[in-house]
Amino acid sequence: MAEHSTDAQLAALDRLVGTWRITGGSEGTVTYRWMEGGFFLIQEIDLGEKDGERTKGIEMIGRLRPYGAEEPSEHIVSRYYSGMGETLDYVYEMDGDTLTIWAVEKGSPAYYRGTFSADGNTLSGRWTYPGGGGYESIATRIG
């Protein structure tokens, strides 16, 4: 487990650490690991090729604390950097066994919500987009 002082909300994301096989609307693997210091969780994404484009990138997850700030941000946020040059922002929220990843800001109509299995080795959920779009996404721990 990462050493991130007394930040219980950040510590709750420790259950993501490891490598996961992703199935459903996207197929491939994601790996989560803590950056030294334990304040940021790094996700490496390789979801293979879909519609002629490879989905590969890296995401940094943690609280914002600009230089000179005494306190970190209220929400755990992330920025995803794609191999195609895109950046996407998210807000992470863990409530018991349920993980919600909001697009851009908390309460957004675009989000992922998934629930961990009792043994913590499966995360089953769905990406939801405005207008009824989205897809199922199942993550199974493989390492």
Side-chain angles (χ1 to χ4, degrees):
M1 179 177 269
E3 297 180 28
H4 28 66
S5 64
T6 59
D7 190 333
Q9 291 177 340
L10 192 57
L13 297 179
D14 195 59
R15 63 197 311 179
L16 291 169
V17 171
T19 300
W20 301 79
R21 181 172 35 90
I22 306 298
T23 56
S26 292
E27 309 278 329
T29 60
V30 297
T31 300
Y32 292 89
R33 62 183 168 80
W34 288 106
M35 183 175 154
E36 186 175 335
F39 292 95
F40 297 96
L41 188 61
I42 300 168
Q43 179 184 192
E44 296 176 73
I45 298 129
D46 187 351
L47 297 179
E49 196 168 305
K50 185 175 180 179
D51 300 327
E53 289 187 14
R54 186 171 188 89
T55 302
K56 194 166 184 169
I58 192 164
E59 183 175 15
M60 300 294 290
I61 306 161
R63 294 192 191 275
L64 297 177
R65 191 177 68 178
Y67 181 76
E70 292 187 25
E71 297 294 323
S73 62
E74 175 185 359
H75 300 297
I76 295 170
V77 299
S78 76
R79 175 158 285 171
Y80 169 73
Y81 300 89
S82 82
M84 301 295 288
E86 299 166 314
T87 58
L88 303 171
D89 295 327
Y90 298 98
V91 174
Y92 275 66
E93 183 178 41
M94 186 73 85
D95 183 12
D97 290 330
T98 301
L99 172 65
T100 303
I101 305 171
W102 304 98
V104 184
E105 63 185 3
K106 188 173 178 176
S108 167
Y111 62 91
Y112 167 83
R113 183 164 292 135
T115 304
F116 283 93
S117 61
D119 66 6
N121 291 322
T122 305
L123 177 60
S124 302
R126 175 175 185 75
W127 282 98
T128 300
Y129 301 130
Y135 60 90
E136 300 291 324
S137 181
I138 309 300
T140 305
R141 188 183 304 276
I142 58 173

